[in-house]
Amino acid sequence: MKLLSKQIPAYSFCLGILVLAFLCLPLPCLAQDQDQKQEEYQDFMEDLLEEYDTQSGTSDEISDPLYHFNHAMYVFNDTLYFYGLKPVAMTYNAVLPQMCRRGISHFFYHLMFPVRFVNQILQGDLCQAKQEMDIFLVNTVAGFLGFAQPAQNNFGLVSQKQDLGKTLGRWGMGKGCYLVLPVLGPSSVRDAIGQAGDLFLTPVHYLSPWHVRLEAQGLDKINEAGFHIGDYEALKAAALDPYAALRNAFYVQQK
Amino acid sequence: MKITGYFVSAIIMAFVFTTLAGPGYVLAADETAITAEVKQETKKFVDDMIALAAQEQDSSSGSMEDKLHDRAMKQFDFRTFSMLSLGKKYQEFSKDQRSQFEQDFSRLIARTYVSRIKGQDMGQVSVEFLAPVVLKSRRDVLRADVPTNLIHDGISTPVTYRMMKREDPKNNPPWKIYDVIIEGVSMTANYREQFRNYISESPEKIIADIQEKLAR
């Protein structure tokens, strides 16, 4: 009995230590858990970033050796938009109802048929080229020379934008460095070559005299701009570096 | 005796086959379930946003921004969005700077989009949902792309929501948007490109620049 009473404090001491030890155990565990979670999250992020890098359009492949020229052209185009194109397009929008503007937009798209058709053939996409031809015929006959698009709206045919820049890309030519063209906007060396080549297939380009041609090109540009007022402004407002934002957007879309 | 032997081996074979083939079936079924779930949740989010935008058309820009921002924050994993936007630079941010950045950055994006849709007829806006694509899971996190077409004034703009499934402590929906891809351009990749110019700048400078844009 005496022995037991002597042992009790020893027991309770041991028990106390054990309880304390148990109480302390979860604390470092929790801290470790937090650290581990943080680390796992970090790894997860790195995986995601790597995934983006393997997709094209990340900046490693964007070469911009003409930065100073490009930036000057970007400022020029920006000024031209806010003081020229935008006010004109807004007035134009106010005068012409949307239905007419849409018709004009469709008509100019229709006119670019040779560019799409020839480039689809050059890329070996004969199925799409045939479909493009069908669309052209249907819209010419049933769509009042392309002002309406019954082929797309009623027959479910899908037209696909193509240009020589994309064809050259398909043939293995690299994009070349970034190039901002005055008035025409973001481009690349490959694209600029493509655009020059496509001119031969652009009916508007053969209009004469020259001022009629310019008027037609201007109408196309203003009509198109009218549908996108606010887009460029939003991009600029959300961007910390609008130049880099535009460059990235151009490169990703030009895959 | 022979028959029993066949019977037993048949049962064993059946068992082996079901266990072997099992995961494949489950995976296919899972994928259908995932796509259905993620599509439904995204649809709810987009519908909510359009309804809120329509309802707030007559109130001030500030109030509209608050409402849309709050709803979006429930669906966005904005921490991941910020981290992906900043790229490696994120490591240099302290805990406080990270939350400050998230707060201001999300405001900047919300303000831009509110100014874009303010005054627009929301009845003319419709969204077409295409079949979601389940992405490769990373570290056991389920992920999916939800492609949509945003149609306004007869113009169709492809918008894809990149989502991952994370349980939310505040009981918000588990599928979180962590990137938005507009016309093929990823928002986070686009910001990452812009923040490249801040490579030698401090986190304070980045936060200050965003706040300056907000104050304008």
Side-chain angles (χ1 to χ4, degrees):
Chain A
M1 195 64 202
K2 213 175 182 186
L3 201 77
L4 196 71
S5 66
K6 250 188 193 170
Q7 276 172 343
I8 284 175
Y11 275 133
S12 48
F13 181 70
C14 285
L15 202 73
I17 294 274
L18 265 175
V19 167
L20 261 179
F22 268 116
L23 278 177
C24 292
L25 252 177
L27 287 174
C29 268
L30 266 180
Q32 217 175 5
D33 211 36
Q34 203 82 40
D35 277 355
Q36 204 179 348
K37 263 193 183 157
Q38 191 70 35
E39 215 168 275
E40 265 173 27
Y41 182 69
Q42 213 69 54
D43 288 346
F44 176 63
M45 283 299 123
E46 260 154 43
D47 278 1
L48 290 188
L49 283 173
E50 213 181 278
E51 188 178 278
Y52 280 102
D53 282 342
T54 49
Q55 292 161 356
S56 68
T58 38
S59 56
D60 295 330
E61 56 177 302
I62 299 180
S63 62
D64 192 2
L66 304 172
Y67 175 80
H68 295 288
F69 171 78
N70 286 343
H71 199 272
M73 284 305 121
Y74 156 75
V75 173
F76 173 76
N77 288 341
D78 183 75
T79 318
L80 188 70
Y81 175 75
F82 282 107
Y83 292 97
L85 191 55
K86 189 183 169 184
V88 172
M90 279 172 85
T91 320
Y92 175 84
N93 273 5
V95 175
L96 267 191
Q98 204 200 56
M99 224 177 77
C100 294
R101 292 189 284 119
R102 193 157 303 288
I104 292 170
S105 171
H106 290 160
F107 176 68
F108 276 108
Y109 187 82
H110 191 65
L111 279 184
M112 293 300 279
F113 160 74
V115 174
R116 291 190 294 272
F117 181 69
V118 169
N119 281 299
Q120 272 147 9
I121 289 179
L122 288 179
Q123 289 179 30
D125 195 351
L126 296 180
C127 276
Q128 184 59 43
K130 190 200 163 283
Q131 182 154 200
E132 206 64 55
M133 177 63 100
D134 291 345
I135 292 174
F136 179 76
L137 292 176
V138 170
N139 286 348
T140 305
V141 178
F144 311 103
L145 295 175
F147 280 96
Q149 299 188 321
Q152 284 97 316
N153 299 334
N154 302 355
F155 297 101
L157 298 175
V158 181
S159 172
Q160 205 180 57
K161 266 191 178 173
Q162 276 304 345
D163 54 57
L164 189 57
K166 285 187 183 130
T167 303
L168 292 174
R170 185 67 75 84
W171 290 353
M173 183 175 171
K175 287 174 191 165
C177 65
Y178 185 55
L179 182 66
V180 183
L181 299 171
V183 189
L184 295 174
S187 183
S188 64
V189 171
R190 183 184 83 197
D191 231 52
I193 295 171
Q195 273 176 336
D198 281 336
L199 275 185
F200 291 104
L201 293 170
T202 311
V204 175
H205 182 65
Y206 292 100
L207 282 177
S208 76
W210 61 271
H211 61 87
V212 176
R213 185 176 76 224
L214 268 186
E215 278 157 18
Q217 285 167 339
L219 175 66
D220 183 17
K221 186 106 182 153
I222 292 163
N223 191 61
E224 229 22 67
F227 286 105
H228 298 285
I229 291 174
D231 287 356
Y232 178 61
E233 290 84 337
L235 181 137
K236 250 188 110 176
L240 285 139
D241 181 349
Y243 175 81
L246 269 180
R247 188 178 57 189
N248 169 269
F250 172 77
Y251 257 75
V252 179
Q253 288 176 335
Q254 280 302 304
K255 261 187 263 186
Chain B
M1 195 63 207
K2 222 175 176 181
I3 292 172
T4 331
Y6 278 132
F7 192 62
V8 169
S9 56
I11 288 181
I12 290 173
M13 289 300 274
F15 181 72
V16 167
F17 272 115
T18 41
T19 32
L20 277 183
Y25 286 126
V26 171
L27 223 66
D30 263 2
E31 202 160 307
T32 331
I34 290 168
T35 47
E37 188 184 299
V38 78
K39 189 172 176 176
Q40 192 192 357
E41 221 174 273
T42 316
K43 188 164 177 353
K44 177 150 192 344
F45 168 66
V46 173
D47 287 349
D48 279 3
M49 291 295 272
I50 292 176
L52 268 177
Q55 180 193 320
E56 289 289 306
Q57 242 359 302
D58 295 328
S59 44
S60 70
S61 290
S63 145
M64 186 178 183
E65 185 188 312
D66 286 345
K67 292 261 169 59
L68 288 174
H69 180 264
D70 288 353
R71 176 66 186 95
M73 280 302 116
K74 280 185 192 155
Q75 202 78 45
F76 267 79
D77 181 340
F78 208 75
R79 194 175 155 206
T80 304
F81 188 95
S82 305
M83 147 116 222
L84 288 175
S85 300
L86 282 168
K88 301 247 182 308
K89 196 82 192 162
Y90 191 75
Q91 306 301 333
E92 294 170 31
F93 281 60
S94 73
K95 210 176 161 203
D96 290 344
Q97 283 168 335
R98 283 174 187 179
S99 20
Q100 186 65 48
F101 176 82
E102 279 167 31
Q103 197 185 320
D104 296 338
F105 190 42
S106 63
R107 277 281 160 189
L108 177 68
I109 295 174
R111 191 158 302 175
T112 315
Y113 285 91
V114 165
S115 67
R116 182 75 186 90
I117 58 175
K118 184 88 189 159
Q120 302 274 329
D121 182 5
M122 282 295 136
Q124 296 291 317
V125 177
S126 65
V127 179
E128 178 190 6
F129 282 82
L130 311 175
V133 181
V134 176
L135 302 173
K136 203 175 140 202
S137 296
R138 296 266 173 189
R139 307 204 185 240
D140 295 334
V141 179
L142 285 179
R143 299 185 306 141
D145 268 354
V146 184
T148 67
N149 280 321
L150 180 73
I151 301 154
H152 53 105
D153 300 335
I155 302 173
S156 168
T157 311
V159 178
T160 297
Y161 299 92
R162 189 157 282 175
M163 333 240 329
M164 63 173 156
K165 196 173 186 178
R166 299 198 114 192
E167 293 309 327
D168 190 310
K170 287 179 201 149
N171 257 340
N172 287 322
W175 279 99
K176 301 287 177 200
I177 302 168
Y178 72 92
D179 195 1
V180 182
I181 298 148
I182 305 167
E183 288 188 77
V185 181
S186 141
M187 276 180 86
T188 65
N190 194 278
Y191 274 112
R192 207 152 56 239
E193 177 79 22
Q194 297 176 45
F195 283 123
R196 233 166 250 275
N197 292 349
Y198 285 80
I199 201 121
S200 52
E201 306 279 7
S202 63
E204 286 93 351
K205 165 80 175 138
I206 294 180
I207 293 170
D209 274 13
I210 294 176
Q211 282 174 346
E212 195 205 308
K213 266 196 104 86
L214 274 175
R216 245 180 252 168

